[in-house]
Amino acid sequence: MADSEYILEVKNLCQYFTSGRGRKKLTVKAVDDVTFSVRRAETFGLVGESGCGKTTTGRTIIRLYNPTSGEVTFEGQDIAGKMTRNLRKFLTSNIAMIFQDPIESLNPKMTIEEIVGEGLKVRGQNDRSEIRRQVVQMLNKVGLVEEHATRYPHEFSGGQRQRIGIARAIITNPKMVIADEPVSALDVSVQAQVINLLNDLKEEMGLTILFIAHNLSVVKYFSDRIGVMYYGHLVEVAKGDDLYQKPLHPYTRALLSAIPEPNPLTERTRVRIDYVPERDHDYSKEQPSMVEVEPEHFVYCSPSELEKYREIIQNA
Amino acid sequence: MAETMKSEMMNAEAAGAAAPEKDVILSVRDLRISFRAYGGLVQAVRGVSFDLYRGETLAIVGESGSGKSVSIKAIMGILANNAIIESGEILYDGKDLTKVKEDDFHEIRGHRIGLIFQDPLSALNPIMKIGKQITEVLRLKKGVSKAEAKEKALELMRVVGIPDVEQRFDQYPFQFSGGMRQRIVIAIALAGDPEILICDEPTTALDVTVQAKILEQINQIKKDRNLSVIFITHDLGVVANMADRVNVMYAGKIVETGTSEEIFFEPAHPYTWALLSSMPDLQTKDRLNAIPGTPPNMIFPPKGDAFAPRNAYALKIDHEKEPPMFKITETHAAATWLLHPQAANSRVEMPASLKARIERMKRSGGFNG
């Protein structure tokens, strides 16, 4: 096992989707040249607008898609290569996923015990009473009770279903959880419950979480470091506070300027910044790449932009 | 103006000398709506009263199932067939909208009161050209000629910020992005030249950067045309951006009403406290104050204050007797027993973390992203 401080390393990951053939062939670069690393027991947030590739990134890491190119290593082991029995086993026992839609992601014909315990069964646990014991333990952990085990998903509210989804993800004791918009389908008053629960589990189990969401306030609150994505590119990676206090990439600035804050005073004086890639960048002469501008703060920029950003940082 | 007489009547009781003269354009009085459902009667709206003043933006905030959408559907006369208006009236232009027949509602709906829906894709006809969808309204409601309608439609499309209108006029909804679709929906709503615009979560399905643009657009149009806007949302950030006044709804009732400043800086109802403090803002570091439990089942609404079972600050009486609206200022009122003179010695105050957050919000007044 590697003793690197990074548990997950993603290098130049590309995920293209194609449709049609011949002249009609269309390639969508959903994830294009994305590089980032996640530390052990860290929460790494991925934000961006719909279609920016944040969900695809998560799904490619857990191999719901086969990556077009690039390297992904988890605990030092390559997980982007050819899918073998061993790799599948390695992946499923180390990385789990929590989905956005708590209704669609639970099989309506299975009881909660079957849903949550399925992971154990797949791993060869045949003792039903042992499965039962662990399921109940897990349900208690996420704030549900033993009686819930024999019920079906439709009997639960959205927040409870999301708790079931979380219980299913963590019962196999994974090292990392990919949470794809875990709260955005929930009511405001219930979102906070689920965020608190995830926070507790993270502390208790030392989980590493890849948190994918579009709500920047939630991502900021929940994550140690944040990556901002735009049209398949990761444009900026930084610690939460750095990102919000000194956003460098014009898209990050535009995104931050667009979040409405629950504060009438700031809202009335809000100045929104537009991001127009053709206007804001001149990449005709120089190619952009991911550069570390200050410690822990990466921006996707060209050499001349880099100088500008360095100045901004120094004056900050 | 025709409404001035009515508004004088409305303001007569609140004839405080300092209160500015406000023109009530729409008035909802003790509205109660239930739905016949499999398990019984779902009491979706339980006695809602509010006034909409001319030229203001009134936000209605609440979670799903709080009755906010049902209330405005009643105003538009588009309630589902299993809905029963049990009592109450909606006064607009001397008429009670709850009693207007469907045949006569065409005069009002789209014409005087426009509506923008949440999902711009399902609000548009997928097999009809965009231009036709706008001119349809103009031809039907205004009776203008085809050529005139096209001219007017192109202008409306420019107003809502669509580029290359001539070319866009002949395209279909699928050729438009989410934000552009919502602009078209706004253009259609404006085509009838309404004086009231109701926006039902118009930006919930959109990305934040697009949302910001649409909100700006709505604000601009509101100013240019002196529209009165009812804005329904669950996003408090959007409320702060748009609203002059705010109604907070929970379980089919308005639990607090006030100006934007009053709701955000001096909230009085524990549910408003909970809403404000349950979501992190960009500075939040502490554990979130989650609201325990889930919204109540409205077939059997709880006795007393509907929020009491989830409310850490609930008094004994909250579980037994429904609180009336207690007036705090001329514009601010909340339905909680905490405001009763007898509760004054129990000294329940808003949570410290929320207090700190409000202080921080007041200080950061000049911040602009």
Side-chain angles (χ1 to χ4, degrees):
Chain A
M1 193 170 288
D3 34 56
S4 145
E5 66 172 314
Y6 293 108
I7 189 166
L8 175 78
E9 287 180 85
V10 178
K11 261 187 219 142
N12 310 102
L13 184 69
C14 295
Q15 177 71 60
Y16 300 165
F17 296 108
T18 55
S19 65
R21 49 171 58 182
R23 273 198 318 156
K24 280 190 185 161
K25 186 162 174 172
L26 211 73
T27 305
V28 177
K29 299 183 173 181
V31 176
D32 198 11
D33 197 12
V34 162
T35 302
F36 66 93
S37 313
V38 181
R39 292 201 178 85
R40 215 169 290 277
E42 174 187 54
T43 302
F44 188 89
L46 266 185
V47 280
E49 300 182 271
S50 50
C52 72
K54 55 191 194 298
T55 294
T56 308
T57 307
R59 292 186 165 204
T60 305
I61 290 169
I62 202 172
R63 293 300 295 274
L64 287 172
Y65 305 132
N66 287 326
T68 309
S69 69
E71 279 172 47
V72 184
T73 53
F74 185 81
E75 293 277 22
Q77 186 171 337
D78 173 35
I79 56 169
K82 193 170 174 298
M83 198 48 133
T84 59
R85 266 182 85 98
N86 280 337
L87 178 56
R88 190 179 308 263
K89 209 167 170 189
F90 176 76
L91 270 175
T92 51
S93 54
N94 282 303
I95 310 178
M97 191 142 180
I98 302 167
F99 296 92
Q100 170 172 11
D101 191 331
I103 302 167
E104 306 226 323
S105 61
L106 301 178
N107 187 337
K109 291 181 176 176
M110 286 164 81
T111 63
I112 301 313
E113 181 175 356
E114 285 163 346
I115 291 171
V116 177
E118 197 179 14
L120 295 175
K121 222 165 144 188
V122 172
R123 268 163 203 78
Q125 177 61 263
N126 287 320
D127 184 355
R128 284 191 59 182
S129 62
E130 174 60 19
I131 291 180
R132 173 80 183 199
R133 194 188 63 79
Q134 288 198 37
V135 167
V136 170
Q137 191 190 356
M138 217 31 78
L139 288 181
N140 289 336
K141 213 174 204 169
V142 298
L144 298 170
V145 292
E146 189 173 354
E147 289 81 74
H148 288 140
T150 51
R151 295 193 194 161
Y152 289 88
H154 72 92
E155 296 174 72
F156 294 90
S157 67
Q160 285 174 319
R161 283 185 203 151
Q162 201 54 287
R163 288 167 191 271
I164 294 164
I166 294 171
R168 168 179 63 183
I170 59 172
I171 196 166
T172 55
N173 223 342
K175 288 186 178 129
M176 185 168 100
V177 171
I178 297 176
D180 187 2
E181 303 259 15
V183 297
S184 49
L186 305 176
D187 257 329
V188 193
S189 70
V190 180
Q191 285 191 8
Q193 295 173 7
V194 173
I195 294 173
N196 279 344
L197 171 66
L198 282 172
N199 247 338
D200 292 344
L201 292 172
K202 183 174 112 183
E203 301 263 303
E204 201 181 310
M205 304 175 61
L207 277 179
T208 308
I209 300 182
L210 181 62
F211 189 78
I212 300 167
H214 69 274
N215 183 329
L216 289 121
S217 314
V218 172
V219 173
K220 162 88 196 306
Y221 172 72
F222 195 63
S223 312
D224 302 310
R225 287 189 306 141
I226 299 171
V228 181
M229 285 189 77
Y230 180 77
Y231 269 82
H233 288 286
L234 196 59
V235 296
E236 190 160 356
V237 178
K239 281 188 187 148
D241 285 325
D242 285 347
L243 191 75
Y244 284 82
Q245 277 152 21
K246 339 171 228 192
L248 292 176
H249 196 278
Y251 176 68
T252 314
R253 288 160 174 267
L255 195 61
L256 287 175
S257 80
I259 325 169
E261 274 188 274
N263 181 351
L265 292 180
T266 56
E267 281 309 312
R268 280 182 198 145
T269 55
R270 164 174 303 281
V271 181
R272 189 170 54 78
I273 306 168
D274 263 330
Y275 176 52
V276 186
E278 304 83 54
R279 182 197 66 197
D280 293 338
H281 307 289
D282 179 15
Y283 290 154
S284 53
K285 296 191 195 83
E286 319 163 301
Q287 279 305 305
S289 62
M290 205 70 179
V291 192
E292 190 164 14
V293 180
E294 59 175 336
E296 298 275 309
H297 194 156
F298 297 83
V299 187
Y300 189 75
C301 60
S302 62
S304 54
E305 282 175 322
L306 178 64
E307 304 226 328
K308 204 172 74 197
Y309 294 156
R310 287 231 158 95
E311 245 167 66
I312 295 174
I313 292 283
Q314 260 159 22
N315 297 335
Chain B
M1 247 172 244
E3 276 81 5
T4 38
M5 220 176 72
K6 200 170 69 202
S7 80
E8 268 166 21
M9 237 167 62
M10 293 289 178
N11 285 347
E13 51 188 322
E21 195 67 20
K22 276 183 188 160
D23 188 3
V24 176
I25 187 165
L26 179 89
S27 179
V28 177
R29 290 279 146 251
D30 193 37
L31 188 66
R32 285 170 197 274
I33 300 167
S34 298
F35 289 92
R36 281 186 298 268
Y38 180 67
L41 274 184
V42 179
Q43 302 173 31
V45 176
R46 305 185 299 148
V48 162
S49 304
F50 65 85
D51 289 333
L52 176 69
Y53 301 120
R54 190 178 292 278
E56 76 164 348
T57 302
L58 172 70
I60 304 181
V61 202
E63 295 175 74
S64 47
S66 61
K68 53 192 196 311
S69 286
V70 175
S71 315
I72 63 113
K73 277 186 177 158
I75 296 173
M76 291 298 284
I78 49 169
L79 283 169
N81 284 334
N82 62 341
I84 311 163
I85 298 182
E86 306 212 353
S87 73
E89 47 191 15
I90 301 166
L91 298 171
Y92 170 71
D93 197 17
K95 283 190 278 270
D96 180 358
L97 294 187
T98 60
K99 302 212 167 57
V100 173
K101 291 211 177 60
E102 177 60 29
D103 286 348
D104 302 326
F105 224 118
H106 296 298
E107 296 282 301
I108 298 162
R109 188 191 301 137
H111 213 80
R112 315 288 298 277
I113 309 179
L115 176 62
I116 301 172
F117 293 96
Q118 170 169 3
D119 182 355
L121 186 54
S122 50
L124 293 172
N125 184 342
I127 54 166
M128 196 194 264
K129 284 177 182 167
I130 287 297
K132 179 90 192 291
Q133 301 197 38
I134 305 174
T135 51
E136 192 181 33
V137 186
L138 292 163
R139 301 266 288 155
L140 214 65
K141 300 273 178 195
K142 299 273 176 227
V144 296
S145 74
K146 251 186 168 167
E148 248 179 288
K150 177 163 185 186
E151 213 38 60
K152 190 96 198 295
L154 290 175
E155 194 203 311
L156 278 169
M157 286 169 76
R158 279 188 209 107
V159 166
V160 296
I162 290 174
D164 313 323
V165 285
E166 298 276 349
Q167 188 197 341
R168 290 297 211 167
F169 189 82
D170 284 322
Q171 289 186 336
Y172 289 93
F174 77 90
Q175 292 166 302
F176 285 64
S177 67
M180 283 297 158
R181 277 180 205 145
Q182 196 58 289
R183 285 170 201 266
I184 294 294
V185 173
I186 296 172
I188 293 173
L190 292 178
D193 205 11
E195 53 178 358
I196 300 177
L197 186 65
I198 300 178
C199 309
D200 188 358
E201 309 238 11
T203 55
T204 308
L206 305 175
D207 283 323
V208 270
T209 49
V210 182
Q211 163 174 290
K213 284 182 203 159
I214 297 282
L215 294 181
E216 259 171 38
Q217 198 86 57
I218 293 177
N219 266 335
Q220 189 59 43
I221 291 167
K222 181 200 142 198
K223 221 184 285 164
D224 293 345
R225 304 186 162 219
N226 194 26
L227 290 176
S228 314
V229 179
I230 299 180
F231 200 95
I232 295 191
T233 180
H234 64 263
D235 186 334
L236 290 164
V238 174
V239 174
N241 185 295
M242 301 292 288
D244 300 310
R245 288 193 307 131
V246 184
N247 284 339
V248 182
M249 282 191 77
Y250 184 77
K253 281 176 158 295
I254 294 178
V255 295
E256 185 163 0
T257 176
T259 63
S260 210
E261 275 84 359
E262 283 165 340
I263 295 292
F264 282 99
F265 296 144
E266 287 146 32
H269 196 283
Y271 179 65
T272 316
W273 297 346
L275 266 192
L276 287 171
S277 57
S278 67
M279 283 317 285
D281 66 5
L282 295 177
Q283 279 88 30
T284 310
K285 294 264 190 282
D286 315 324
R287 191 180 167 81
L288 296 175
N289 285 319
I291 312 175
T294 49
N297 178 350
M298 295 313 290
I299 295 180
F300 311 104
K303 212 173 141 202
D305 181 356
F307 187 58
R310 305 173 70 187
N311 180 3
Y313 304 94
L315 306 169
K316 197 167 158 239
I317 189 169
D318 277 318
H319 295 279
E320 287 155 13
K321 198 157 179 271
E322 220 171 276
M325 276 297 217
F326 288 98
K327 208 166 179 180
I328 303 164
T329 67
E330 246 355 280
T331 48
H332 191 189
T336 165
W337 286 113
L338 296 177
L339 294 171
H340 191 274
Q342 281 180 12
N345 47 9
S346 62
R347 294 205 168 274
V348 178
E349 282 196 356
M350 70 174 86
S353 61
L354 178 59
K355 214 172 201 173
R357 186 151 151 185
I358 289 174
E359 282 309 312
R360 204 166 60 214
M361 268 166 35
K362 282 183 178 165
R363 274 203 311 276
S364 70
F367 177 82
N368 55 12

